[in-house]
């Protein structure tokens, strides 16, 4: 993409009421724009990163054999009443149509997915199966001061699995746990993300959260120094010792919840009278689990945890572009033409190799301005072509977050291994 064509620009000043440093950087870099507290527009560069996150998450869900659907955001009142959540879910936005019909805006989708699954599944032979979607969610959060970390409108992946056998349910839950770690690994969050025991509700002793440790986190987790698990605050109150290993050696940390998984048991299936016929002709209860990951929150978490004082440092897998190619203007017209010609060739050759490039072709910008913007935008590698590099028949390469630069030959740049260096 040509940076001269990008309609967004980096900004010096943003509103002071953003408390998350990562969200501040995303706003300054022009990845997102704030419409209201907890409500954001995802701008072109932010959208590219979000799309990459979406692909990683969707591929993981497909790998689990889950089938993708798109459920509505307007969830009829009667569905919420069936589960008692019209009155019981305090974050529900309620809207009324012209004919007086009422809806709750999708905050979570058990009220849709359960009756849908019920329409097609009658016998134990129809189980197990899993359904997922990646869709906008709405939650009427009282406090929405942490930017993308706690939105009132946000993009979320929710997966629901359906089983008639407890062991099958438990096995699938473990598979999802592993898939989640793979997702957080791809997003560069694995070393600071802990599996955290949380309250399980009515049907299970524990549920699990995936908590990423960062000072901007709104949650407090207690990391067990002995076994590596973490427990959240409510569990810590119930279990002064680690429920996994019995150690009392806890380290208190602030964290962001980037995912959560629950065994729901028959909580929602029973509310809709959803049962399956068994092999002997009797009725079997349907067991459900739900598994969430907030995609916009994940974007905000990466910006929060992977940055320095100059800007974001995108992990390769979710960077909007792999390469930020910068041409520096020379004073001399002839030299300038030579710089542009070489920059355009590199831009075109790299794209032919399926390497995504943001090309800073903006005229009239100083080297300082271009480098500052490149650091703020945070693409994994910066390539600079200038009169100085051309005199050495080369291109300067710098990895974001490192100080050292290297010179690669003009004719070698397309064969350069950008993954390893
Ligand atoms: Zn432990």
């Amino acid at each position: 993409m040509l940076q001269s064509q990008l309609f967004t620009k980096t900004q010096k000043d943003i509103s002071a009421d953003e408390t998350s440093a990562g969200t501040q950087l995303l706003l300054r870099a022009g990845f997102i724009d704030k419409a209201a507290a907890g409500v954001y527009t995802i701008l072109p560069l932010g959208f590219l990163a979000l799309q990459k996150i979406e692909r990683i998450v969707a591929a993981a869900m497909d790998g689990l054999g889950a089938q993708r659907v798109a459920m509505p955001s307007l969830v009829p009142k009667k569905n919420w009443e069936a589960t008692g959540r019209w009155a019981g879910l305090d974050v529900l936005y309620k809207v009324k149509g012209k004919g007086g019909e009422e809806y709750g805006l999708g905050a979570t989708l058990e009220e849709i997915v359960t009756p849908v699954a019920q329409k097609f599944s009658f016998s134990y032979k129809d189980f197990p199966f899993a359904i997922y979607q990646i869709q906008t969610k709405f939650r009427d959060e009282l406090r929405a001061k942490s930017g993308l970390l706690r939105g009132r409108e946000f993009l979320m992946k929710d997966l629901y699995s359906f089983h008639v056998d407890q062991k099958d349910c438990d096995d699938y839950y473990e598979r999802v746990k592993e898939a989640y770690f793979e997702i957080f690994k791809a997003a560069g969050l694995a070393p600071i993300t802990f599996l955290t025991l949380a309250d399980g509700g009515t049907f299970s002793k524990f549920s699990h959260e995936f908590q990423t440790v960062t000072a901007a986190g709104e949650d407090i987790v207690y990391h067990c120094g002995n076994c590596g698990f973490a427990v959240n605050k409510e569990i810590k109150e119930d279990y002064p010792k680690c429920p996994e290993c019995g150690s009392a050696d806890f380290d208190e940390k602030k964290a962001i919840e980037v995912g959560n998984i629950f065994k729901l048991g028959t909580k929602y299936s029973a509310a809709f009278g959803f049962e399956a016929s068994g092999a002997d002709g009797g009725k079997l209860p349907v067991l459900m689990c739900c598994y969430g990951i907030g995609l916009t929150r994940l974007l905000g978490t990466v910006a929060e945890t992977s940055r320095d004082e100059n800007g974001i440092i995108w992990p390769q897998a979710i960077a909007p572009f792999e390469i930020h190619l910068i041409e520096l203007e020379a004073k001399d017209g002839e030299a300038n033409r030579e710089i542009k010609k070489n920059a355009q060739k590199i831009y075109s050759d790299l794209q032919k190799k399926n390497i995504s490039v943001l090309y800073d072709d903006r005229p009239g910008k100083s080297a300082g301005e271009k480098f500052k913007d490149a650091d703020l935008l945070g693409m994994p590698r910066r390539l600079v072509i200038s009169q100085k590099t051309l005199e050495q028949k080369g291109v300067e390469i710098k990895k974001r977050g490192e100080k050292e630069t290297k010179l690669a030959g003009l004719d070698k740049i397309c064969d350069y291994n950008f993954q390893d260096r």
Side-chain angles (χ1 to χ4, degrees):
M1 181 181 211
L2 300 178
Q3 204 167 339
S4 61
Q5 302 297 306
L6 191 64
F7 86 87
T8 59
K9 290 171 184 62
T10 59
Q11 294 174 50
K12 279 203 182 71
D13 302 306
I14 50 148
S15 100
D17 59 354
E18 286 294 349
T19 56
S20 148
T23 299
Q24 284 175 15
L25 287 176
L26 290 169
L27 285 163
R28 276 182 50 211
F31 283 80
I32 59 170
D33 182 63
K34 186 175 186 170
V39 184
Y40 294 87
T41 300
I42 309 293
L43 296 168
L45 295 175
F47 195 78
L48 287 168
L50 194 58
Q51 265 185 322
K52 291 199 174 172
I53 293 174
E54 181 172 338
R55 276 186 220 127
I56 291 168
V57 172
M61 296 304 107
D62 295 343
L64 288 163
Q67 298 166 55
R68 189 166 179 173
V69 298
M71 291 186 264
S73 290
L74 287 172
V75 180
K77 181 182 178 180
K78 66 173 170 44
N79 295 44
W80 295 108
E81 284 178 334
T83 62
R85 292 208 285 186
W86 182 257
L89 190 61
D90 67 342
V91 293
L92 199 61
Y93 278 108
K94 295 171 181 175
V95 295
K96 203 176 230 175
K98 282 181 183 145
E101 72 280 14
E102 290 183 273
Y103 306 93
L105 291 184
T108 168
L109 266 295
E110 284 85 357
E111 278 77 1
I112 293 288
V113 77
T114 312
V116 164
Q118 186 177 18
K119 270 178 197 158
F120 300 100
S121 325
F122 310 104
S123 147
Y124 71 97
K125 291 177 191 163
D126 297 325
F127 294 82
F129 59 95
I131 302 172
Y132 80 100
Q133 67 164 1
I134 295 173
Q135 205 94 329
T136 301
K137 293 275 165 32
F138 302 87
R139 285 186 193 166
D140 191 0
E141 300 281 359
L142 191 60
R143 285 179 62 248
K145 287 184 179 170
S146 300
L148 291 186
L149 305 183
R150 185 173 295 278
R152 291 188 169 130
E153 179 177 336
F154 53 94
L155 191 65
M156 187 172 163
K157 182 282 300 174
D158 37 342
L159 165 71
Y160 303 91
S161 67
F162 298 83
H163 313 264
V164 287
D165 178 88
Q166 187 63 53
K167 180 168 186 313
D168 176 55
C169 172
D170 295 344
D171 289 349
Y172 194 78
Y173 188 86
E174 291 305 314
R175 280 182 61 201
V176 176
K177 220 187 252 178
E178 283 168 29
Y180 267 40
F181 274 117
E182 288 303 314
I183 292 169
F184 299 127
K185 194 171 152 190
L189 296 174
I192 48 168
T193 301
F194 299 113
L195 185 67
T196 304
L197 290 172
D199 185 35
T202 329
F203 288 91
S204 184
K205 198 169 176 189
F206 300 118
S207 67
H208 293 91
E209 296 167 347
F210 293 80
Q211 293 274 6
T212 301
V213 170
T214 163
E218 290 185 340
D219 292 354
I220 302 276
V221 299
Y222 298 86
H223 182 238
C224 173
N226 185 44
C227 74
F229 270 86
V231 298
N232 77 2
K233 214 169 180 175
E234 53 189 351
I235 293 291
K236 176 78 162 49
E237 276 156 20
D238 288 355
Y239 298 86
K241 288 186 176 173
C242 174
E244 280 293 319
C245 73
S247 164
D249 172 24
F250 286 120
D251 199 5
E252 185 180 304
K253 293 176 192 294
K254 281 187 166 178
I256 304 168
E257 185 190 319
V258 287
N260 57 16
I261 57 177
F262 281 93
K263 287 179 186 171
L264 299 169
T266 55
K267 185 175 176 184
Y268 295 96
S269 52
F272 289 98
F274 182 15
E275 292 176 317
S277 58
D280 60 0
K283 291 287 182 194
L284 292 170
V286 172
L287 306 171
M288 285 173 62
C289 300
C290 73
Y291 319 83
I293 290 183
L295 273 65
T296 33
R297 181 183 287 195
L298 196 59
L299 183 73
T301 304
V302 172
E304 185 63 48
T305 55
S306 184
R307 61 184 165 86
D308 60 17
E309 65 277 17
N310 301 318
I312 303 164
I313 304 172
W314 290 109
Q316 178 95 7
I318 61 171
F321 293 94
E322 290 159 82
I323 304 282
H324 200 160
L325 171 66
I326 295 175
E327 65 179 29
L328 298 182
E329 280 179 340
K331 288 196 180 74
D332 172 61
E334 178 60 32
N336 235 0
R337 274 189 292 278
E338 197 61 20
I339 291 165
K340 208 163 234 334
K341 192 182 88 189
N342 279 285
Q344 283 169 349
K345 184 171 186 310
I346 292 170
Y347 178 55
S348 149
D349 288 351
L350 286 175
Q351 289 185 106
K352 277 180 205 150
K353 292 219 153 193
N354 284 323
I355 297 171
S356 59
V357 185
L358 178 64
Y359 170 20
D360 191 348
D361 59 334
R362 295 174 300 169
K365 292 267 179 199
S366 70
E369 287 171 301
K370 288 192 173 190
F371 291 162
K372 212 171 169 203
D373 277 357
D375 277 350
L376 178 57
L377 296 179
M379 305 315 157
R381 273 160 195 83
R382 188 185 83 183
L383 263 54
V384 177
I385 184 154
S386 66
Q387 192 165 10
K388 202 175 98 192
T389 70
L390 278 186
E391 278 162 12
Q392 299 170 75
K393 293 193 168 37
V395 185
E396 184 195 274
I397 303 174
K398 182 179 161 302
K399 195 173 172 184
R400 179 71 182 91
E402 290 179 2
K403 282 203 168 69
E404 185 199 354
T405 61
K406 283 178 186 155
L407 199 76
L410 273 176
D411 51 341
K412 303 267 184 343
I413 191 71
C414 284
D415 298 317
Y416 198 85
N417 186 349
F418 292 108
Q419 296 290 332
D420 296 341
R421 302 193 191 201

